[in-house]
Short mmCIF file of all heavy atoms in Angstrom, two decimals:
data_model
loop_
_atom_site.label_atom_id
_atom_site.label_comp_id
_atom_site.label_asym_id
_atom_site.label_seq_id
_atom_site.Cartn_x
_atom_site.Cartn_y
_atom_site.Cartn_z
N MET A 1 3.46 0.92 11.56
CA MET A 1 3.64 -0.19 10.62
C MET A 1 2.63 -0.04 9.47
O MET A 1 1.45 0.12 9.72
CB MET A 1 3.43 -1.52 11.34
CG MET A 1 4.00 -2.70 10.60
SD MET A 1 3.84 -4.21 11.56
CE MET A 1 4.92 -3.86 12.95
N PRO A 2 3.11 -0.06 8.25
CA PRO A 2 2.21 0.18 7.12
C PRO A 2 1.28 -1.00 6.84
O PRO A 2 1.56 -2.13 7.22
CB PRO A 2 3.16 0.40 5.95
CG PRO A 2 4.40 -0.35 6.33
CD PRO A 2 4.50 -0.25 7.83
N VAL A 3 0.20 -0.71 6.18
CA VAL A 3 -0.77 -1.73 5.78
C VAL A 3 -0.59 -2.03 4.30
O VAL A 3 -0.53 -1.13 3.48
CB VAL A 3 -2.21 -1.25 6.04
CG1 VAL A 3 -3.21 -2.29 5.54
CG2 VAL A 3 -2.42 -0.96 7.50
N PHE A 4 -0.45 -3.31 3.99
CA PHE A 4 -0.34 -3.73 2.60
C PHE A 4 -1.55 -4.57 2.23
O PHE A 4 -2.03 -5.37 3.02
CB PHE A 4 0.94 -4.53 2.37
CG PHE A 4 2.18 -3.72 2.56
CD1 PHE A 4 2.87 -3.77 3.76
CD2 PHE A 4 2.65 -2.90 1.56
CE1 PHE A 4 4.02 -3.01 3.94
CE2 PHE A 4 3.80 -2.15 1.73
CZ PHE A 4 4.48 -2.20 2.93
N GLU A 5 -2.03 -4.38 1.02
CA GLU A 5 -3.16 -5.16 0.53
C GLU A 5 -2.67 -6.23 -0.43
O GLU A 5 -1.85 -5.97 -1.30
CB GLU A 5 -4.17 -4.24 -0.17
CG GLU A 5 -4.89 -3.31 0.78
CD GLU A 5 -5.93 -2.47 0.05
OE1 GLU A 5 -5.76 -2.22 -1.15
OE2 GLU A 5 -6.91 -2.08 0.69
N TYR A 6 -3.20 -7.43 -0.24
CA TYR A 6 -2.85 -8.53 -1.12
C TYR A 6 -4.13 -9.12 -1.69
O TYR A 6 -5.11 -9.34 -0.97
CB TYR A 6 -2.08 -9.62 -0.36
CG TYR A 6 -0.65 -9.24 -0.06
CD1 TYR A 6 -0.36 -8.37 0.98
CD2 TYR A 6 0.40 -9.75 -0.82
CE1 TYR A 6 0.95 -8.01 1.25
CE2 TYR A 6 1.71 -9.40 -0.54
CZ TYR A 6 1.98 -8.53 0.49
OH TYR A 6 3.27 -8.19 0.77
N LYS A 7 -4.12 -9.39 -2.99
CA LYS A 7 -5.27 -9.97 -3.66
C LYS A 7 -5.00 -11.45 -3.90
O LYS A 7 -3.98 -11.83 -4.48
CB LYS A 7 -5.53 -9.26 -4.99
CG LYS A 7 -6.75 -9.79 -5.73
CD LYS A 7 -7.00 -8.99 -6.99
CE LYS A 7 -8.24 -9.48 -7.72
NZ LYS A 7 -8.48 -8.72 -8.96
N CYS A 8 -5.94 -12.27 -3.47
CA CYS A 8 -5.83 -13.71 -3.63
C CYS A 8 -6.01 -14.09 -5.10
O CYS A 8 -6.98 -13.68 -5.74
CB CYS A 8 -6.89 -14.41 -2.78
SG CYS A 8 -6.89 -16.21 -2.98
N LYS A 9 -5.06 -14.84 -5.65
CA LYS A 9 -5.16 -15.25 -7.05
C LYS A 9 -6.12 -16.42 -7.22
O LYS A 9 -6.45 -16.80 -8.33
CB LYS A 9 -3.78 -15.62 -7.59
CG LYS A 9 -2.88 -14.40 -7.75
CD LYS A 9 -1.69 -14.72 -8.65
CE LYS A 9 -0.90 -13.43 -8.93
NZ LYS A 9 0.19 -13.66 -9.91
N ASN A 10 -6.55 -16.99 -6.12
CA ASN A 10 -7.47 -18.11 -6.19
C ASN A 10 -8.93 -17.64 -6.22
O ASN A 10 -9.71 -18.07 -7.05
CB ASN A 10 -7.25 -19.04 -5.01
CG ASN A 10 -8.15 -20.27 -5.07
OD1 ASN A 10 -8.29 -20.87 -6.13
ND2 ASN A 10 -8.75 -20.62 -3.95
N CYS A 11 -9.28 -16.73 -5.32
CA CYS A 11 -10.68 -16.31 -5.20
C CYS A 11 -10.87 -14.82 -5.43
O CYS A 11 -11.99 -14.34 -5.53
CB CYS A 11 -11.24 -16.70 -3.83
SG CYS A 11 -10.60 -15.71 -2.48
N GLY A 12 -9.76 -14.06 -5.54
CA GLY A 12 -9.87 -12.63 -5.80
C GLY A 12 -10.14 -11.79 -4.57
O GLY A 12 -10.29 -10.58 -4.67
N HIS A 13 -10.20 -12.42 -3.41
CA HIS A 13 -10.46 -11.69 -2.17
C HIS A 13 -9.24 -10.85 -1.80
O HIS A 13 -8.10 -11.29 -1.93
CB HIS A 13 -10.78 -12.68 -1.04
CG HIS A 13 -11.13 -12.01 0.26
ND1 HIS A 13 -12.35 -11.44 0.49
CD2 HIS A 13 -10.39 -11.82 1.39
CE1 HIS A 13 -12.36 -10.93 1.72
NE2 HIS A 13 -11.20 -11.14 2.28
N ILE A 14 -9.47 -9.63 -1.35
CA ILE A 14 -8.38 -8.75 -0.94
C ILE A 14 -8.26 -8.75 0.58
O ILE A 14 -9.24 -8.50 1.28
CB ILE A 14 -8.60 -7.31 -1.45
CG1 ILE A 14 -8.54 -7.30 -2.98
CG2 ILE A 14 -7.56 -6.36 -0.86
CD1 ILE A 14 -8.81 -5.94 -3.58
N THR A 15 -7.06 -9.09 1.07
CA THR A 15 -6.80 -9.14 2.50
C THR A 15 -5.73 -8.11 2.84
O THR A 15 -4.76 -7.95 2.11
CB THR A 15 -6.31 -10.55 2.90
OG1 THR A 15 -7.25 -11.52 2.47
CG2 THR A 15 -6.15 -10.65 4.42
N GLU A 16 -5.93 -7.40 3.95
CA GLU A 16 -4.94 -6.42 4.39
C GLU A 16 -4.02 -7.04 5.42
O GLU A 16 -4.46 -7.77 6.31
CB GLU A 16 -5.64 -5.19 5.00
CG GLU A 16 -6.40 -4.38 3.97
CD GLU A 16 -6.99 -3.13 4.60
OE1 GLU A 16 -7.05 -3.03 5.85
OE2 GLU A 16 -7.40 -2.24 3.84
N PHE A 17 -2.72 -6.75 5.29
CA PHE A 17 -1.73 -7.25 6.23
C PHE A 17 -0.94 -6.09 6.81
O PHE A 17 -0.46 -5.22 6.07
CB PHE A 17 -0.77 -8.22 5.53
CG PHE A 17 -1.42 -9.50 5.06
CD1 PHE A 17 -1.90 -9.59 3.76
CD2 PHE A 17 -1.55 -10.59 5.89
CE1 PHE A 17 -2.50 -10.75 3.31
CE2 PHE A 17 -2.15 -11.76 5.46
CZ PHE A 17 -2.62 -11.84 4.16
N LEU A 18 -0.80 -6.10 8.12
CA LEU A 18 0.10 -5.15 8.78
C LEU A 18 1.48 -5.79 8.83
O LEU A 18 1.67 -6.83 9.44
CB LEU A 18 -0.38 -4.87 10.21
CG LEU A 18 -1.41 -3.76 10.40
CD1 LEU A 18 -1.89 -3.75 11.84
CD2 LEU A 18 -0.83 -2.42 10.04
N GLU A 19 2.45 -5.17 8.20
CA GLU A 19 3.76 -5.80 8.16
C GLU A 19 4.85 -4.77 7.90
O GLU A 19 4.62 -3.68 7.39
CB GLU A 19 3.81 -6.86 7.07
CG GLU A 19 3.62 -6.26 5.68
CD GLU A 19 3.54 -7.33 4.62
OE1 GLU A 19 2.96 -8.38 4.90
OE2 GLU A 19 4.06 -7.13 3.53
N LYS A 20 6.07 -5.17 8.24
CA LYS A 20 7.23 -4.34 7.93
C LYS A 20 7.56 -4.47 6.44
O LYS A 20 7.18 -5.43 5.78
CB LYS A 20 8.43 -4.77 8.78
CG LYS A 20 8.20 -4.58 10.27
CD LYS A 20 9.40 -5.08 11.05
CE LYS A 20 9.17 -4.90 12.55
NZ LYS A 20 10.31 -5.45 13.33
N ALA A 21 8.35 -3.50 5.96
CA ALA A 21 8.67 -3.48 4.53
C ALA A 21 9.52 -4.67 4.13
O ALA A 21 9.49 -5.10 2.99
CB ALA A 21 9.39 -2.19 4.19
N ASP A 22 10.30 -5.21 5.07
CA ASP A 22 11.19 -6.32 4.73
C ASP A 22 10.63 -7.67 5.14
O ASP A 22 11.34 -8.65 5.26
CB ASP A 22 12.56 -6.12 5.38
CG ASP A 22 12.46 -6.00 6.90
OD1 ASP A 22 11.33 -5.93 7.40
OD2 ASP A 22 13.50 -5.98 7.56
N PHE A 23 9.31 -7.71 5.35
CA PHE A 23 8.67 -8.95 5.71
C PHE A 23 8.63 -9.91 4.53
O PHE A 23 8.25 -9.53 3.43
CB PHE A 23 7.26 -8.67 6.21
CG PHE A 23 6.47 -9.92 6.57
CD1 PHE A 23 6.68 -10.56 7.77
CD2 PHE A 23 5.52 -10.42 5.69
CE1 PHE A 23 5.97 -11.69 8.10
CE2 PHE A 23 4.80 -11.56 6.01
CZ PHE A 23 5.03 -12.19 7.22
N HIS A 24 9.06 -11.15 4.73
CA HIS A 24 9.07 -12.11 3.62
C HIS A 24 8.30 -13.38 3.98
O HIS A 24 8.54 -14.44 3.41
CB HIS A 24 10.51 -12.47 3.24
CG HIS A 24 11.26 -11.31 2.66
ND1 HIS A 24 10.88 -10.68 1.50
CD2 HIS A 24 12.37 -10.65 3.08
CE1 HIS A 24 11.73 -9.69 1.24
NE2 HIS A 24 12.64 -9.65 2.19
N GLY A 25 7.42 -13.29 4.93
CA GLY A 25 6.65 -14.46 5.31
C GLY A 25 5.51 -14.74 4.34
O GLY A 25 5.36 -14.06 3.33
N GLU A 26 4.71 -15.73 4.68
CA GLU A 26 3.61 -16.10 3.81
C GLU A 26 2.39 -15.23 4.08
O GLU A 26 2.17 -14.74 5.18
CB GLU A 26 3.24 -17.57 4.05
CG GLU A 26 4.28 -18.53 3.51
CD GLU A 26 3.80 -19.97 3.69
OE1 GLU A 26 3.02 -20.24 4.62
OE2 GLU A 26 4.22 -20.82 2.88
N HIS A 27 1.60 -15.02 3.04
CA HIS A 27 0.34 -14.33 3.17
C HIS A 27 -0.77 -15.32 2.83
O HIS A 27 -0.74 -15.96 1.78
CB HIS A 27 0.28 -13.13 2.24
CG HIS A 27 1.35 -12.12 2.53
ND1 HIS A 27 2.56 -12.12 1.90
CD2 HIS A 27 1.37 -11.09 3.41
CE1 HIS A 27 3.29 -11.12 2.37
NE2 HIS A 27 2.61 -10.48 3.29
N ILE A 28 -1.71 -15.43 3.73
CA ILE A 28 -2.77 -16.41 3.55
C ILE A 28 -4.10 -15.68 3.43
O ILE A 28 -4.44 -14.82 4.24
CB ILE A 28 -2.80 -17.40 4.74
CG1 ILE A 28 -1.46 -18.15 4.81
CG2 ILE A 28 -3.96 -18.38 4.58
CD1 ILE A 28 -1.36 -19.08 5.99
N CYS A 29 -4.83 -16.02 2.38
CA CYS A 29 -6.13 -15.41 2.13
C CYS A 29 -7.08 -15.67 3.29
O CYS A 29 -7.22 -16.80 3.75
CB CYS A 29 -6.71 -15.98 0.83
SG CYS A 29 -8.36 -15.39 0.47
N SER A 30 -7.73 -14.60 3.75
CA SER A 30 -8.64 -14.76 4.88
C SER A 30 -9.95 -15.37 4.46
O SER A 30 -10.78 -15.72 5.29
CB SER A 30 -8.89 -13.40 5.54
OG SER A 30 -9.51 -12.52 4.61
N ASN A 31 -10.16 -15.51 3.15
CA ASN A 31 -11.41 -16.06 2.65
C ASN A 31 -11.31 -17.55 2.34
O ASN A 31 -12.13 -18.34 2.80
CB ASN A 31 -11.83 -15.28 1.40
CG ASN A 31 -13.17 -15.73 0.87
OD1 ASN A 31 -14.16 -15.75 1.60
ND2 ASN A 31 -13.21 -16.12 -0.39
N CYS A 32 -10.28 -17.93 1.56
CA CYS A 32 -10.19 -19.33 1.12
C CYS A 32 -8.93 -20.03 1.62
O CYS A 32 -8.71 -21.17 1.30
CB CYS A 32 -10.25 -19.40 -0.42
SG CYS A 32 -8.72 -18.84 -1.23
N ARG A 33 -8.12 -19.31 2.39
CA ARG A 33 -6.87 -19.86 2.93
C ARG A 33 -5.84 -20.14 1.85
O ARG A 33 -4.86 -20.85 2.09
CB ARG A 33 -7.13 -21.16 3.73
CG ARG A 33 -7.99 -20.92 4.96
CD ARG A 33 -7.29 -20.03 5.94
NE ARG A 33 -8.19 -19.53 6.98
CZ ARG A 33 -7.83 -18.62 7.88
NH1 ARG A 33 -6.61 -18.16 7.87
NH2 ARG A 33 -8.67 -18.19 8.77
N GLY A 34 -6.03 -19.57 0.67
CA GLY A 34 -5.04 -19.71 -0.38
C GLY A 34 -3.79 -18.94 -0.05
O GLY A 34 -3.82 -17.93 0.66
N GLN A 35 -2.65 -19.42 -0.53
CA GLN A 35 -1.37 -18.79 -0.20
C GLN A 35 -0.73 -18.09 -1.39
O GLN A 35 0.41 -17.67 -1.32
CB GLN A 35 -0.41 -19.83 0.37
CG GLN A 35 -0.91 -20.44 1.66
CD GLN A 35 0.07 -21.43 2.26
OE1 GLN A 35 1.23 -21.46 1.90
NE2 GLN A 35 -0.41 -22.25 3.18
N VAL A 36 -1.44 -17.99 -2.50
CA VAL A 36 -0.92 -17.28 -3.66
C VAL A 36 -1.55 -15.90 -3.67
O VAL A 36 -2.70 -15.72 -4.08
CB VAL A 36 -1.23 -18.03 -4.97
CG1 VAL A 36 -0.61 -17.29 -6.16
CG2 VAL A 36 -0.70 -19.45 -4.90
N MET A 37 -0.79 -14.93 -3.17
CA MET A 37 -1.31 -13.59 -3.01
C MET A 37 -0.50 -12.61 -3.85
O MET A 37 0.73 -12.66 -3.87
CB MET A 37 -1.26 -13.17 -1.53
CG MET A 37 -1.95 -14.15 -0.58
SD MET A 37 -3.75 -14.15 -0.72
CE MET A 37 -4.14 -12.63 0.14
N GLU A 38 -1.20 -11.72 -4.51
CA GLU A 38 -0.53 -10.69 -5.31
C GLU A 38 -0.57 -9.37 -4.57
O GLU A 38 -1.63 -8.89 -4.18
CB GLU A 38 -1.25 -10.56 -6.66
CG GLU A 38 -0.68 -9.46 -7.53
CD GLU A 38 -1.48 -9.29 -8.81
OE1 GLU A 38 -2.67 -9.64 -8.80
OE2 GLU A 38 -0.92 -8.80 -9.79
N LYS A 39 0.59 -8.77 -4.38
CA LYS A 39 0.66 -7.51 -3.63
C LYS A 39 0.10 -6.37 -4.47
O LYS A 39 0.47 -6.20 -5.64
CB LYS A 39 2.11 -7.21 -3.24
CG LYS A 39 2.24 -6.04 -2.29
CD LYS A 39 3.68 -5.90 -1.82
CE LYS A 39 3.80 -4.81 -0.77
NZ LYS A 39 5.18 -4.69 -0.27
N LEU A 40 -0.76 -5.59 -3.86
CA LEU A 40 -1.35 -4.44 -4.55
C LEU A 40 -0.67 -3.16 -4.10
O LEU A 40 -0.18 -3.06 -2.98
CB LEU A 40 -2.85 -4.35 -4.23
CG LEU A 40 -3.69 -5.57 -4.61
CD1 LEU A 40 -5.13 -5.35 -4.16
CD2 LEU A 40 -3.63 -5.83 -6.10
N LEU A 41 -0.63 -2.20 -4.99
CA LEU A 41 -0.12 -0.89 -4.60
C LEU A 41 -1.08 -0.28 -3.60
O LEU A 41 -2.29 -0.33 -3.77
CB LEU A 41 -0.01 0.02 -5.82
CG LEU A 41 1.08 -0.35 -6.83
CD1 LEU A 41 1.00 0.59 -8.03
CD2 LEU A 41 2.45 -0.27 -6.21
N SER A 42 -0.54 0.30 -2.55
CA SER A 42 -1.39 0.90 -1.54
C SER A 42 -2.07 2.15 -2.09
O SER A 42 -1.57 2.80 -3.00
CB SER A 42 -0.56 1.26 -0.31
OG SER A 42 0.28 2.35 -0.61
N THR A 43 -3.20 2.48 -1.51
CA THR A 43 -3.92 3.67 -1.95
C THR A 43 -3.13 4.92 -1.61
O THR A 43 -3.28 5.95 -2.24
CB THR A 43 -5.30 3.73 -1.27
OG1 THR A 43 -5.11 3.64 0.14
CG2 THR A 43 -6.18 2.60 -1.75
N PHE A 44 -2.27 4.81 -0.59
CA PHE A 44 -1.48 5.97 -0.18
C PHE A 44 -0.48 6.35 -1.27
O PHE A 44 -0.43 7.49 -1.72
CB PHE A 44 -0.75 5.66 1.12
CG PHE A 44 0.18 6.77 1.57
CD1 PHE A 44 -0.33 7.93 2.14
CD2 PHE A 44 1.55 6.66 1.41
CE1 PHE A 44 0.51 8.95 2.55
CE2 PHE A 44 2.40 7.66 1.82
CZ PHE A 44 1.88 8.82 2.38
N SER A 45 0.33 5.38 -1.73
CA SER A 45 1.35 5.67 -2.72
C SER A 45 0.71 6.04 -4.05
O SER A 45 1.24 6.84 -4.81
CB SER A 45 2.28 4.48 -2.90
OG SER A 45 1.56 3.35 -3.31
N ALA A 46 -0.44 5.46 -4.36
CA ALA A 46 -1.12 5.78 -5.62
C ALA A 46 -1.59 7.23 -5.60
O ALA A 46 -1.54 7.92 -6.61
CB ALA A 46 -2.31 4.85 -5.82
N ARG A 47 -2.01 7.70 -4.44
CA ARG A 47 -2.49 9.06 -4.33
C ARG A 47 -1.33 10.06 -4.45
O ARG A 47 -1.45 11.11 -5.06
CB ARG A 47 -3.21 9.24 -2.99
CG ARG A 47 -3.82 10.62 -2.86
CD ARG A 47 -4.73 10.77 -1.63
NE ARG A 47 -4.99 9.54 -0.88
CZ ARG A 47 -4.51 9.34 0.34
NH1 ARG A 47 -3.78 10.24 0.92
NH2 ARG A 47 -4.79 8.23 0.97
N ILE A 48 -0.17 9.70 -3.88
CA ILE A 48 1.00 10.57 -3.96
C ILE A 48 1.47 10.71 -5.41
O ILE A 48 1.76 11.79 -5.89
CB ILE A 48 2.14 10.02 -3.09
CG1 ILE A 48 1.76 10.10 -1.61
CG2 ILE A 48 3.43 10.79 -3.35
CD1 ILE A 48 1.59 11.51 -1.11
N SER A 49 1.54 9.58 -6.13
CA SER A 49 2.08 9.62 -7.49
C SER A 49 1.17 10.40 -8.43
O SER A 49 1.63 10.94 -9.43
CB SER A 49 2.27 8.19 -8.01
OG SER A 49 1.03 7.54 -8.08
N GLY A 50 -0.12 10.46 -8.10
CA GLY A 50 -1.04 11.16 -8.98
C GLY A 50 -1.26 12.60 -8.56
O GLY A 50 -2.09 13.30 -9.13
N SER A 51 -0.50 13.05 -7.55
CA SER A 51 -0.70 14.40 -7.05
C SER A 51 0.39 15.34 -7.55
O SER A 51 1.48 14.92 -7.90
CB SER A 51 -0.69 14.38 -5.52
OG SER A 51 -0.61 15.70 -5.02
N SER A 52 0.10 16.61 -7.55
CA SER A 52 1.08 17.60 -7.97
C SER A 52 1.77 18.23 -6.77
O SER A 52 2.51 19.18 -6.91
CB SER A 52 0.42 18.69 -8.81
OG SER A 52 -0.55 19.36 -8.04
N SER A 53 1.50 17.70 -5.57
CA SER A 53 2.04 18.30 -4.36
C SER A 53 3.55 18.16 -4.29
O SER A 53 4.23 19.00 -3.71
CB SER A 53 1.40 17.66 -3.13
OG SER A 53 1.71 16.28 -3.08
N LEU A 54 4.11 17.10 -4.91
CA LEU A 54 5.54 16.90 -4.84
C LEU A 54 6.29 17.97 -5.63
O LEU A 54 7.33 18.44 -5.21
CB LEU A 54 5.91 15.51 -5.39
CG LEU A 54 5.55 14.32 -4.48
CD1 LEU A 54 5.92 13.01 -5.15
CD2 LEU A 54 6.27 14.44 -3.14
N THR A 55 5.75 18.36 -6.76
CA THR A 55 6.46 19.33 -7.61
C THR A 55 6.38 20.73 -7.03
O THR A 55 7.20 21.57 -7.34
CB THR A 55 5.86 19.32 -9.02
OG1 THR A 55 4.47 19.58 -8.92
CG2 THR A 55 6.08 17.99 -9.71
N SER A 56 5.38 20.98 -6.17
CA SER A 56 5.23 22.32 -5.62
C SER A 56 5.73 22.39 -4.17
O SER A 56 5.49 23.38 -3.50
CB SER A 56 3.76 22.76 -5.68
OG SER A 56 2.98 21.89 -4.90
N SER A 57 6.39 21.33 -3.69
CA SER A 57 6.80 21.28 -2.29
C SER A 57 7.88 22.31 -1.97
O SER A 57 8.00 22.76 -0.85
CB SER A 57 7.29 19.88 -1.93
OG SER A 57 8.41 19.55 -2.72
N ASP A 58 8.69 22.69 -2.96
CA ASP A 58 9.79 23.62 -2.68
C ASP A 58 9.50 25.03 -3.21
O ASP A 58 10.38 25.86 -3.32
CB ASP A 58 11.10 23.07 -3.25
CG ASP A 58 11.01 22.82 -4.73
OD1 ASP A 58 9.90 22.99 -5.28
OD2 ASP A 58 12.02 22.46 -5.33
N SER A 59 8.25 25.28 -3.57
CA SER A 59 7.90 26.63 -3.98
C SER A 59 6.48 26.94 -3.52
O SER A 59 5.66 26.04 -3.40
CB SER A 59 7.98 26.78 -5.51
OG SER A 59 7.03 25.95 -6.12
N CYS A 60 6.20 28.17 -3.25
CA CYS A 60 4.89 28.53 -2.74
C CYS A 60 3.91 28.74 -3.90
O CYS A 60 4.16 29.56 -4.79
CB CYS A 60 5.00 29.82 -1.93
SG CYS A 60 3.41 30.36 -1.28
N PRO A 61 2.82 28.00 -3.93
CA PRO A 61 1.87 28.10 -5.05
C PRO A 61 1.10 29.44 -5.06
O PRO A 61 0.65 29.87 -6.10
CB PRO A 61 0.95 26.92 -4.85
CG PRO A 61 1.03 26.63 -3.37
CD PRO A 61 2.45 26.97 -2.97
N THR A 62 0.96 30.05 -3.89
CA THR A 62 0.17 31.28 -3.83
C THR A 62 1.02 32.52 -3.67
O THR A 62 0.53 33.64 -3.82
CB THR A 62 -0.82 31.20 -2.64
OG1 THR A 62 -0.08 31.09 -1.43
CG2 THR A 62 -1.74 30.00 -2.78
N GLY A 63 2.30 32.36 -3.31
CA GLY A 63 3.17 33.50 -3.12
C GLY A 63 3.01 34.16 -1.77
O GLY A 63 3.61 35.20 -1.49
N THR A 64 2.20 33.55 -0.88
CA THR A 64 1.95 34.17 0.42
C THR A 64 2.51 33.32 1.57
O THR A 64 2.28 33.64 2.73
CB THR A 64 0.45 34.37 0.65
OG1 THR A 64 -0.21 33.10 0.53
CG2 THR A 64 -0.13 35.32 -0.37
N CYS A 65 3.22 32.24 1.25
CA CYS A 65 3.76 31.39 2.30
C CYS A 65 4.90 32.10 3.03
O CYS A 65 5.78 32.67 2.39
CB CYS A 65 4.28 30.08 1.72
SG CYS A 65 2.98 29.10 0.94
N PRO A 66 4.90 32.09 4.36
CA PRO A 66 5.93 32.82 5.13
C PRO A 66 7.32 32.23 4.96
O PRO A 66 8.30 32.92 5.17
CB PRO A 66 5.45 32.69 6.57
CG PRO A 66 4.55 31.52 6.58
CD PRO A 66 3.91 31.47 5.22
N LEU A 67 7.42 30.95 4.61
CA LEU A 67 8.73 30.31 4.51
C LEU A 67 9.35 30.44 3.13
O LEU A 67 10.50 30.09 2.92
CB LEU A 67 8.62 28.82 4.87
CG LEU A 67 8.26 28.53 6.34
CD1 LEU A 67 8.17 27.03 6.55
CD2 LEU A 67 9.28 29.15 7.28
N SER A 68 8.62 30.96 2.17
CA SER A 68 9.15 31.01 0.81
C SER A 68 9.95 32.30 0.57
O SER A 68 9.83 33.23 1.33
CB SER A 68 8.02 30.93 -0.21
OG SER A 68 7.19 32.07 -0.09
ZN1 ZN B 1 -8.73 -16.58 -1.51
#
């Protein structure tokens, strides 16, 4: 189950929630109990989008890969 980070719009505290992708329940700030939470992009997806690994996934960068 993935971890999503939500930032409280009331106090700015970031709380992590373990949840399914189709979860639509409430998120409550662990600091101030506020219920207005803004979903943050996970560090995982941010790292993927900024990487060049996707463009080189179907070709060998060094020419020595046995599967290429
Ligand atoms: Zn809060």
Side-chain angles (χ1 to χ4, degrees):
M1 198 175 294
V3 177
F4 294 98
E5 291 183 332
Y6 286 77
K7 182 177 182 181
C8 177
K9 290 197 173 185
N10 183 44
C11 72
H13 183 77
I14 295 177
T15 305
E16 292 184 346
F17 294 93
L18 273 173
E19 64 185 37
K20 297 178 180 177
D22 58 352
F23 178 79
H24 293 298
E26 288 184 332
H27 299 93
I28 299 177
C29 176
S30 62
N31 184 54
C32 74
R33 296 296 167 186
Q35 297 183 17
V36 183
M37 306 289 284
E38 176 184 25
K39 189 174 185 178
L40 302 177
L41 291 176
S42 71
T43 54
F44 176 76
S45 59
R47 184 171 353 111
I48 292 296
S49 62
S51 168
S52 62
S53 62
L54 287 178
T55 55
S56 61
S57 62
D58 57 356
S59 64
C60 179
T62 62
T64 57
C65 298
L67 294 179
S68 65

